[in-house]
Amino acid sequence: MSLEVRIKKALPGFALDVEFDSGDETLGFLGASGCGKSLTLKCIAGIEKPDEGRIVVNGRVFFDSKEGVNLSPQERKTALLFQNYMLFPNCTVAENVAAGLGRDVPKGERARIVDAELKRFGLEGFGKRYPSQLSGGQQQRVALARMLAAKPGILMLDEPLSALDAHLKGVLEQNLAGLFDAYQGTILYVSHDIDEALRFCDRIAVVDSGRIVEMGTGDDLVNRPRSLAGLKLSGCKNATPARKSGPYSVWLPKWGVELTSAVEVPENVACCGVRARFVERADGPGENCFRMRVDRVSDSRFERMLLLGFIDRDEADVPTVDAHEDEMKYLHQHLFWRLPRIGESELRLPQVGEEVWVRIPKDKIYLVTE
Amino acid sequence: MGSLVEFVGTIDLSPLWVTLKTTGTAIVIVFLLGLAAAYFSLRMPPRLQDLADSIFTIPMVLPPTVCGFILLLALGRNTAVGQWFIDVGFPLVFSWPATVIAASVVAFPLMYRSARGAFENLDPNMLDAARTLGWSEPRIFFRLMLPLAWSSIAAGTVLAFARALGEFGATLFLAGNYLGVTRTIPMAIYFEWMNGNTDVAIFWTLIIMLFSFIVILFVNLWSRRTTRYRHASEGGAS
């Protein structure tokens, strides 16, 4: 069971150029919307035609521009799971689940498969209903049942959880995790959510502007991101342009400060990232310690996010900007700091206008080259 | 009451049969051709699509008399096509088939445009999902596109039907006014009134109003029934 994809496709203002191989694993495609991750799935499914390249699924050539092979979507029969499920509204649940069964499947066998899939997804007794009579979560399970009943050679899921609210998501994530464990073969899972990808995927490919910019385990992506897109998609709140200023130091023009790194700085460093939760409180001046002003705070259930302005910043490269002048530039000059609200008394949390000293631990900064 | 029966008894009812036959035949032709034109025009390259769309829509904007005149020039005895049909004993002008042709040409754009709009409104991802499940193109058309677009297509059919039923100008040019052959109800209303038979003209007017109303009501009821899955929460399957 394997998948080999090397494709190029030029669209107005966008070029897809994707290369990867995959075995019996769950491979995640992580990227912002419009980065080309869904387009890649559509190329594999045969809905979109690449300009050139080769797609081989489980030893069967789906597409090869050199040999002139281009199987139709029907021949590929990938049963791709779309973002909004694309259940057929005029067909009942049972008809939807049976949609991917070939006409050669006898009636009795057909009913048996449909019943088995409905049972697997806890949809017994829903067979005669129409999709519009189901909740979002039930619709999603019908879509999964339809995909599995079709027995595709690979499973491809395009943001299957994005249309659900948070509560349902938790339950369905467990459904999916069980399903993926039991499935023998390649699974491609497209998402823009790092936690979803970490939960399901053995490897994660970060896609940016039509290219895979990095590919590795979830641990690699979270602890050793290698690209700006990887940095941002792994949830790193602070990512700012950087320039090498010494063997172990980088200059950050937008922040107007210099940082010391625990590892040697690569020659072509482009960006520096710091996770908001890794910023520490400091007592006073020291290595990577900065005097900051709390400019904004926002609370979620368990955490407080603080927006810190550098008080002693060097304005040589980028002069300080006020929020009402240019909101984006203003944000780019600030450091995000995440503090837990649980246990810590609310009174000890920094408030707006307060001055605080923070340290950016030198072993917790990420330096990326693209 | 008795005098009414007596009055109806004096009227030659052949325009009703001609109209029913003509409109019935024309609507079948228009329904099939309109759907086919909509389906295939959407699969053409964009530029060709615009050209095809203009050609398919033009009978709607031209005055019916112009349509009739052009058809007469194209299908009359002066062209090879027209002459050939006359030779094989199936003349396309001043004959019953001419009423069907006139009604079809004039009603066609209404059907075509409704069907095309309905097909354009379908989510292309839905059709792609069916393809990746192995559905052939004809199966997608009959099992997905037609049912999902059905209410718009039904509305288009009603419009086309109404247009075919009321067709006058093109029919007059192409088919003429032969009692029992090409005299449809609209034709009868005009010529009876011209001859001073206002009562008969009013009779035909009432008939055509009643008939139109019944047909439109029927199509609306039927369309609701065939799209029941949308109103599923109102009862039924649950």
Side-chain angles (χ1 to χ4, degrees), chain A residues 41-90:
Chain A
L41 291 198
K42 286 184 173 176
C43 283
I44 298 172
I47 300 164
E48 295 279 349
K49 184 173 176 278
D51 297 337
E52 59 178 288
R54 187 175 155 84
I55 299 169
V56 184
V57 176
N58 301 334
R60 190 161 167 234
V61 180
F62 275 15
F63 178 79
D64 192 322
S65 53
K66 283 206 189 85
E67 289 171 28
V69 179
N70 182 22
L71 300 188
S72 69
Q74 285 89 348
E75 290 169 311
R76 302 185 193 196
K77 208 178 166 192
T78 48
L80 168 65
L81 187 84
F82 283 82
Q83 195 169 350
N84 294 318
Y85 320 140
M86 295 300 149
L87 296 177
F88 305 141
N90 56 321

Short mmCIF file of all heavy atoms in Angstrom, two decimals, chain A residues 41-90:
data_model
loop_
_atom_site.label_atom_id
_atom_site.label_comp_id
_atom_site.label_asym_id
_atom_site.label_seq_id
_atom_site.Cartn_x
_atom_site.Cartn_y
_atom_site.Cartn_z
N LEU A 41 -5.47 17.03 -3.20
CA LEU A 41 -6.41 15.89 -3.08
C LEU A 41 -7.24 15.76 -4.35
O LEU A 41 -7.47 14.66 -4.85
CB LEU A 41 -7.35 16.07 -1.88
CG LEU A 41 -6.79 15.99 -0.47
CD1 LEU A 41 -7.91 15.75 0.52
CD2 LEU A 41 -5.75 14.91 -0.34
N LYS A 42 -7.70 16.91 -4.89
CA LYS A 42 -8.53 16.85 -6.09
C LYS A 42 -7.75 16.32 -7.28
O LYS A 42 -8.31 15.66 -8.15
CB LYS A 42 -9.09 18.24 -6.40
CG LYS A 42 -10.21 18.63 -5.44
CD LYS A 42 -10.83 19.95 -5.80
CE LYS A 42 -12.05 20.22 -4.93
NZ LYS A 42 -12.63 21.53 -5.19
N CYS A 43 -6.44 16.63 -7.33
CA CYS A 43 -5.61 16.09 -8.41
C CYS A 43 -5.50 14.58 -8.28
O CYS A 43 -5.54 13.85 -9.28
CB CYS A 43 -4.22 16.73 -8.39
SG CYS A 43 -4.17 18.40 -9.05
N ILE A 44 -5.35 14.10 -7.05
CA ILE A 44 -5.24 12.65 -6.85
C ILE A 44 -6.56 11.97 -7.20
O ILE A 44 -6.59 10.91 -7.81
CB ILE A 44 -4.83 12.34 -5.40
CG1 ILE A 44 -3.46 12.94 -5.09
CG2 ILE A 44 -4.81 10.83 -5.15
CD1 ILE A 44 -3.04 12.85 -3.64
N ALA A 45 -7.67 12.64 -6.85
CA ALA A 45 -9.00 12.06 -7.12
C ALA A 45 -9.36 12.13 -8.60
O ALA A 45 -10.29 11.46 -9.04
CB ALA A 45 -10.05 12.77 -6.29
N GLY A 46 -8.64 12.97 -9.37
CA GLY A 46 -8.93 13.08 -10.80
C GLY A 46 -9.93 14.15 -11.15
O GLY A 46 -10.37 14.25 -12.29
N ILE A 47 -10.32 14.95 -10.16
CA ILE A 47 -11.26 16.04 -10.42
C ILE A 47 -10.53 17.20 -11.09
O ILE A 47 -11.09 17.89 -11.93
CB ILE A 47 -11.90 16.52 -9.10
CG1 ILE A 47 -12.66 15.37 -8.45
CG2 ILE A 47 -12.82 17.70 -9.34
CD1 ILE A 47 -12.98 15.63 -7.00
N GLU A 48 -9.28 17.42 -10.69
CA GLU A 48 -8.46 18.43 -11.34
C GLU A 48 -7.32 17.69 -12.05
O GLU A 48 -6.85 16.66 -11.58
CB GLU A 48 -7.85 19.38 -10.30
CG GLU A 48 -8.86 20.21 -9.56
CD GLU A 48 -9.32 21.43 -10.36
OE1 GLU A 48 -8.68 21.72 -11.40
OE2 GLU A 48 -10.30 22.05 -9.95
N LYS A 49 -6.91 18.25 -13.20
CA LYS A 49 -5.85 17.60 -13.96
C LYS A 49 -4.55 18.38 -13.81
O LYS A 49 -4.53 19.57 -14.14
CB LYS A 49 -6.26 17.52 -15.43
CG LYS A 49 -5.28 16.79 -16.31
CD LYS A 49 -5.87 16.64 -17.71
CE LYS A 49 -4.89 15.99 -18.65
NZ LYS A 49 -3.91 16.90 -19.21
N PRO A 50 -3.51 17.74 -13.31
CA PRO A 50 -2.23 18.45 -13.21
C PRO A 50 -1.67 18.70 -14.61
O PRO A 50 -2.01 18.00 -15.56
CB PRO A 50 -1.32 17.47 -12.45
CG PRO A 50 -2.21 16.40 -11.93
CD PRO A 50 -3.42 16.37 -12.80
N ASP A 51 -0.81 19.73 -14.74
CA ASP A 51 -0.19 20.01 -16.03
C ASP A 51 0.81 18.92 -16.37
O ASP A 51 0.92 18.49 -17.51
CB ASP A 51 0.52 21.36 -15.99
CG ASP A 51 -0.46 22.50 -15.77
OD1 ASP A 51 -1.66 22.29 -16.08
OD2 ASP A 51 -0.05 23.56 -15.27
N GLU A 52 1.57 18.50 -15.36
CA GLU A 52 2.52 17.42 -15.59
C GLU A 52 2.77 16.69 -14.30
O GLU A 52 2.45 17.18 -13.22
CB GLU A 52 3.83 17.98 -16.15
CG GLU A 52 4.50 19.00 -15.26
CD GLU A 52 5.83 19.47 -15.85
OE1 GLU A 52 6.77 18.68 -15.84
OE2 GLU A 52 5.89 20.62 -16.31
N GLY A 53 3.37 15.50 -14.41
CA GLY A 53 3.72 14.75 -13.22
C GLY A 53 3.21 13.33 -13.27
O GLY A 53 2.87 12.81 -14.34
N ARG A 54 3.14 12.72 -12.09
CA ARG A 54 2.83 11.30 -12.00
C ARG A 54 2.16 11.03 -10.66
O ARG A 54 2.58 11.55 -9.63
CB ARG A 54 4.16 10.55 -12.09
CG ARG A 54 4.08 9.05 -12.18
CD ARG A 54 5.52 8.52 -12.38
NE ARG A 54 5.64 7.16 -11.89
CZ ARG A 54 5.31 6.09 -12.62
NH1 ARG A 54 4.88 6.24 -13.85
NH2 ARG A 54 5.43 4.88 -12.11
N ILE A 55 1.09 10.26 -10.70
CA ILE A 55 0.41 9.86 -9.47
C ILE A 55 0.23 8.35 -9.51
O ILE A 55 -0.38 7.82 -10.44
CB ILE A 55 -0.98 10.54 -9.35
CG1 ILE A 55 -0.83 12.06 -9.31
CG2 ILE A 55 -1.71 10.05 -8.10
CD1 ILE A 55 -2.15 12.81 -9.45
N VAL A 56 0.79 7.66 -8.53
CA VAL A 56 0.65 6.21 -8.46
C VAL A 56 0.06 5.85 -7.10
O VAL A 56 0.57 6.27 -6.07
CB VAL A 56 2.02 5.50 -8.62
CG1 VAL A 56 1.82 3.99 -8.64
CG2 VAL A 56 2.71 5.96 -9.89
N VAL A 57 -1.04 5.11 -7.12
CA VAL A 57 -1.69 4.70 -5.88
C VAL A 57 -1.69 3.19 -5.80
O VAL A 57 -2.23 2.52 -6.69
CB VAL A 57 -3.13 5.24 -5.79
CG1 VAL A 57 -3.83 4.73 -4.55
CG2 VAL A 57 -3.13 6.76 -5.79
N ASN A 58 -1.08 2.65 -4.77
CA ASN A 58 -1.00 1.20 -4.57
C ASN A 58 -0.55 0.48 -5.84
O ASN A 58 -1.12 -0.53 -6.23
CB ASN A 58 -2.36 0.63 -4.11
CG ASN A 58 -2.82 1.28 -2.82
OD1 ASN A 58 -1.99 1.74 -2.03
ND2 ASN A 58 -4.11 1.33 -2.61
N GLY A 59 0.45 1.02 -6.50
CA GLY A 59 1.00 0.39 -7.68
C GLY A 59 0.24 0.66 -8.97
O GLY A 59 0.67 0.28 -10.05
N ARG A 60 -0.92 1.32 -8.88
CA ARG A 60 -1.71 1.61 -10.08
C ARG A 60 -1.45 3.05 -10.50
O ARG A 60 -1.58 3.97 -9.68
CB ARG A 60 -3.18 1.40 -9.73
CG ARG A 60 -4.09 1.44 -10.91
CD ARG A 60 -5.42 0.77 -10.56
NE ARG A 60 -6.38 1.08 -11.59
CZ ARG A 60 -7.58 1.61 -11.35
NH1 ARG A 60 -7.95 1.89 -10.12
NH2 ARG A 60 -8.41 1.87 -12.35
N VAL A 61 -1.08 3.23 -11.78
CA VAL A 61 -0.79 4.57 -12.26
C VAL A 61 -2.10 5.30 -12.53
O VAL A 61 -2.87 4.90 -13.40
CB VAL A 61 0.07 4.53 -13.55
CG1 VAL A 61 0.35 5.94 -14.03
CG2 VAL A 61 1.37 3.79 -13.29
N PHE A 62 -2.37 6.36 -11.77
CA PHE A 62 -3.58 7.17 -11.95
C PHE A 62 -3.34 8.22 -13.02
O PHE A 62 -4.21 8.56 -13.79
CB PHE A 62 -3.94 7.88 -10.64
CG PHE A 62 -4.76 7.06 -9.69
CD1 PHE A 62 -4.88 5.69 -9.85
CD2 PHE A 62 -5.41 7.67 -8.63
CE1 PHE A 62 -5.63 4.93 -8.96
CE2 PHE A 62 -6.17 6.93 -7.73
CZ PHE A 62 -6.28 5.57 -7.90
N PHE A 63 -2.12 8.74 -13.00
CA PHE A 63 -1.81 9.86 -13.90
C PHE A 63 -0.33 9.82 -14.21
O PHE A 63 0.50 9.62 -13.32
CB PHE A 63 -2.17 11.18 -13.21
CG PHE A 63 -1.86 12.40 -14.03
CD1 PHE A 63 -2.70 12.80 -15.06
CD2 PHE A 63 -0.71 13.14 -13.79
CE1 PHE A 63 -2.41 13.92 -15.82
CE2 PHE A 63 -0.42 14.27 -14.55
CZ PHE A 63 -1.27 14.66 -15.56
N ASP A 64 -0.01 9.97 -15.49
CA ASP A 64 1.40 10.08 -15.86
C ASP A 64 1.44 10.90 -17.15
O ASP A 64 1.02 10.42 -18.20
CB ASP A 64 2.03 8.70 -16.06
CG ASP A 64 3.54 8.81 -16.17
OD1 ASP A 64 4.02 9.78 -16.79
OD2 ASP A 64 4.24 7.93 -15.64
N SER A 65 1.92 12.14 -17.03
CA SER A 65 1.87 13.01 -18.20
C SER A 65 2.79 12.50 -19.31
O SER A 65 2.50 12.70 -20.48
CB SER A 65 2.24 14.44 -17.79
OG SER A 65 3.46 14.47 -17.12
N LYS A 66 3.88 11.83 -18.95
CA LYS A 66 4.82 11.37 -19.98
C LYS A 66 4.23 10.20 -20.76
O LYS A 66 4.37 10.12 -21.97
CB LYS A 66 6.13 10.93 -19.33
CG LYS A 66 7.00 12.10 -18.91
CD LYS A 66 8.47 11.71 -18.89
CE LYS A 66 9.32 12.80 -18.25
NZ LYS A 66 9.35 12.67 -16.79
N GLU A 67 3.53 9.28 -20.07
CA GLU A 67 2.97 8.12 -20.75
C GLU A 67 1.54 8.38 -21.21
O GLU A 67 0.89 7.49 -21.77
CB GLU A 67 3.00 6.90 -19.83
CG GLU A 67 4.41 6.38 -19.60
CD GLU A 67 4.45 5.30 -18.51
OE1 GLU A 67 3.43 4.62 -18.34
OE2 GLU A 67 5.49 5.19 -17.87
N GLY A 68 1.04 9.61 -20.94
CA GLY A 68 -0.30 9.95 -21.38
C GLY A 68 -1.39 9.20 -20.63
O GLY A 68 -2.46 8.95 -21.17
N VAL A 69 -1.12 8.82 -19.38
CA VAL A 69 -2.14 8.14 -18.58
C VAL A 69 -2.91 9.17 -17.77
O VAL A 69 -2.31 10.04 -17.15
CB VAL A 69 -1.49 7.12 -17.60
CG1 VAL A 69 -2.56 6.43 -16.76
CG2 VAL A 69 -0.66 6.11 -18.37
N ASN A 70 -4.22 9.13 -17.83
CA ASN A 70 -5.03 10.00 -16.99
C ASN A 70 -6.38 9.32 -16.76
O ASN A 70 -7.31 9.47 -17.54
CB ASN A 70 -5.21 11.38 -17.65
CG ASN A 70 -6.01 12.32 -16.78
OD1 ASN A 70 -6.09 12.13 -15.57
ND2 ASN A 70 -6.62 13.31 -17.39
N LEU A 71 -6.46 8.55 -15.67
CA LEU A 71 -7.70 7.84 -15.39
C LEU A 71 -8.79 8.83 -14.99
O LEU A 71 -8.51 9.86 -14.39
CB LEU A 71 -7.48 6.83 -14.24
CG LEU A 71 -6.44 5.74 -14.45
CD1 LEU A 71 -6.51 4.73 -13.30
CD2 LEU A 71 -6.64 5.02 -15.77
N SER A 72 -10.04 8.49 -15.31
CA SER A 72 -11.16 9.35 -14.94
C SER A 72 -11.41 9.22 -13.44
O SER A 72 -10.98 8.24 -12.82
CB SER A 72 -12.40 8.93 -15.71
OG SER A 72 -12.84 7.67 -15.24
N PRO A 73 -12.09 10.20 -12.83
CA PRO A 73 -12.40 10.09 -11.40
C PRO A 73 -13.16 8.81 -11.09
O PRO A 73 -12.98 8.22 -10.03
CB PRO A 73 -13.28 11.31 -11.12
CG PRO A 73 -13.16 12.21 -12.28
CD PRO A 73 -12.59 11.44 -13.42
N GLN A 74 -14.01 8.39 -12.05
CA GLN A 74 -14.78 7.17 -11.84
C GLN A 74 -13.87 5.95 -11.77
O GLN A 74 -14.08 5.05 -10.96
CB GLN A 74 -15.80 6.97 -12.98
CG GLN A 74 -17.00 7.90 -12.90
CD GLN A 74 -16.80 9.22 -13.62
OE1 GLN A 74 -15.68 9.56 -13.99
NE2 GLN A 74 -17.86 9.99 -13.80
N GLU A 75 -12.85 5.92 -12.65
CA GLU A 75 -11.92 4.78 -12.64
C GLU A 75 -11.07 4.78 -11.37
O GLU A 75 -10.71 3.74 -10.86
CB GLU A 75 -11.02 4.84 -13.87
CG GLU A 75 -11.74 4.53 -15.16
CD GLU A 75 -10.91 4.86 -16.39
OE1 GLU A 75 -10.33 5.97 -16.47
OE2 GLU A 75 -10.81 4.00 -17.26
N ARG A 76 -10.73 6.00 -10.90
CA ARG A 76 -9.89 6.08 -9.69
C ARG A 76 -10.70 5.73 -8.45
O ARG A 76 -10.20 5.17 -7.51
CB ARG A 76 -9.32 7.49 -9.55
CG ARG A 76 -8.50 7.92 -10.75
CD ARG A 76 -7.86 9.26 -10.51
NE ARG A 76 -7.33 9.81 -11.75
CZ ARG A 76 -6.47 10.81 -11.80
NH1 ARG A 76 -6.04 11.38 -10.69
NH2 ARG A 76 -6.03 11.26 -12.95
N LYS A 77 -11.96 6.15 -8.47
CA LYS A 77 -12.91 5.87 -7.38
C LYS A 77 -12.29 6.06 -5.99
O LYS A 77 -12.15 5.11 -5.23
CB LYS A 77 -13.47 4.45 -7.54
CG LYS A 77 -14.85 4.36 -6.94
CD LYS A 77 -15.44 3.00 -7.13
CE LYS A 77 -16.64 2.82 -6.24
NZ LYS A 77 -17.09 1.45 -6.17
N THR A 78 -11.90 7.28 -5.71
CA THR A 78 -11.22 7.56 -4.45
C THR A 78 -12.18 7.91 -3.32
O THR A 78 -11.75 8.01 -2.18
CB THR A 78 -10.26 8.75 -4.63
OG1 THR A 78 -10.96 9.78 -5.29
CG2 THR A 78 -9.05 8.35 -5.45
N ALA A 79 -13.45 8.14 -3.63
CA ALA A 79 -14.47 8.45 -2.61
C ALA A 79 -14.02 9.55 -1.66
O ALA A 79 -14.29 9.50 -0.47
CB ALA A 79 -14.85 7.19 -1.84
N LEU A 80 -13.32 10.52 -2.21
CA LEU A 80 -12.83 11.67 -1.44
C LEU A 80 -13.90 12.26 -0.52
O LEU A 80 -15.04 12.47 -0.94
CB LEU A 80 -12.37 12.73 -2.47
CG LEU A 80 -12.07 14.14 -2.05
CD1 LEU A 80 -10.87 14.17 -1.13
CD2 LEU A 80 -11.78 15.00 -3.28
N LEU A 81 -13.55 12.48 0.73
CA LEU A 81 -14.50 13.08 1.68
C LEU A 81 -14.34 14.60 1.63
O LEU A 81 -13.31 15.13 2.01
CB LEU A 81 -14.24 12.58 3.10
CG LEU A 81 -15.27 13.02 4.12
CD1 LEU A 81 -16.47 12.09 4.11
CD2 LEU A 81 -14.70 13.09 5.51
N PHE A 82 -15.39 15.27 1.15
CA PHE A 82 -15.31 16.72 1.00
C PHE A 82 -15.56 17.43 2.32
O PHE A 82 -16.18 16.87 3.23
CB PHE A 82 -16.34 17.21 -0.02
CG PHE A 82 -15.94 16.97 -1.44
CD1 PHE A 82 -16.13 15.74 -2.04
CD2 PHE A 82 -15.36 17.98 -2.18
CE1 PHE A 82 -15.76 15.52 -3.34
CE2 PHE A 82 -14.99 17.78 -3.49
CZ PHE A 82 -15.19 16.54 -4.08
N GLN A 83 -15.14 18.68 2.34
CA GLN A 83 -15.26 19.50 3.55
C GLN A 83 -16.70 19.57 4.06
O GLN A 83 -16.94 19.44 5.24
CB GLN A 83 -14.75 20.89 3.21
CG GLN A 83 -14.48 21.73 4.42
CD GLN A 83 -13.73 22.98 4.04
OE1 GLN A 83 -13.26 23.12 2.92
NE2 GLN A 83 -13.60 23.89 4.97
N ASN A 84 -17.65 19.81 3.15
CA ASN A 84 -19.05 19.88 3.59
C ASN A 84 -19.79 18.58 3.29
O ASN A 84 -21.00 18.57 3.09
CB ASN A 84 -19.75 21.07 2.95
CG ASN A 84 -19.15 22.37 3.44
OD1 ASN A 84 -18.87 22.51 4.62
ND2 ASN A 84 -18.92 23.31 2.54
N TYR A 85 -19.03 17.50 3.22
CA TYR A 85 -19.53 16.12 3.07
C TYR A 85 -20.15 15.83 1.72
O TYR A 85 -20.03 14.74 1.22
CB TYR A 85 -20.54 15.76 4.17
CG TYR A 85 -20.18 16.27 5.53
CD1 TYR A 85 -21.11 16.80 6.40
CD2 TYR A 85 -18.85 16.27 5.94
CE1 TYR A 85 -20.75 17.28 7.64
CE2 TYR A 85 -18.48 16.75 7.17
CZ TYR A 85 -19.43 17.27 8.01
OH TYR A 85 -19.08 17.76 9.21
N MET A 86 -20.87 16.80 1.15
CA MET A 86 -21.50 16.59 -0.15
C MET A 86 -22.36 15.34 -0.17
O MET A 86 -22.29 14.52 -1.09
CB MET A 86 -20.42 16.52 -1.25
CG MET A 86 -19.69 17.83 -1.41
SD MET A 86 -20.84 19.12 -1.84
CE MET A 86 -20.06 20.53 -1.07
N LEU A 87 -23.17 15.17 0.86
CA LEU A 87 -24.17 14.11 0.82
C LEU A 87 -25.19 14.49 -0.24
O LEU A 87 -25.42 15.68 -0.47
CB LEU A 87 -24.85 13.98 2.18
CG LEU A 87 -23.95 13.54 3.33
CD1 LEU A 87 -24.72 13.52 4.63
CD2 LEU A 87 -23.34 12.18 3.05
N PHE A 88 -25.81 13.49 -0.87
CA PHE A 88 -26.80 13.79 -1.89
C PHE A 88 -28.13 14.06 -1.20
O PHE A 88 -28.72 13.14 -0.63
CB PHE A 88 -26.90 12.64 -2.89
CG PHE A 88 -25.57 12.28 -3.49
CD1 PHE A 88 -25.23 10.96 -3.73
CD2 PHE A 88 -24.64 13.27 -3.81
CE1 PHE A 88 -23.99 10.64 -4.27
CE2 PHE A 88 -23.42 12.95 -4.36
CZ PHE A 88 -23.08 11.64 -4.59
N PRO A 89 -28.64 15.30 -1.24
CA PRO A 89 -29.82 15.64 -0.43
C PRO A 89 -31.08 14.93 -0.88
O PRO A 89 -32.01 14.77 -0.09
CB PRO A 89 -29.96 17.16 -0.62
CG PRO A 89 -29.15 17.50 -1.81
CD PRO A 89 -28.10 16.45 -1.97
N ASN A 90 -31.12 14.47 -2.13
CA ASN A 90 -32.33 13.83 -2.63
C ASN A 90 -32.31 12.32 -2.42
O ASN A 90 -33.23 11.64 -2.84
CB ASN A 90 -32.51 14.14 -4.12
CG ASN A 90 -31.30 13.73 -4.93
OD1 ASN A 90 -30.16 13.90 -4.49
ND2 ASN A 90 -31.51 13.18 -6.10
#
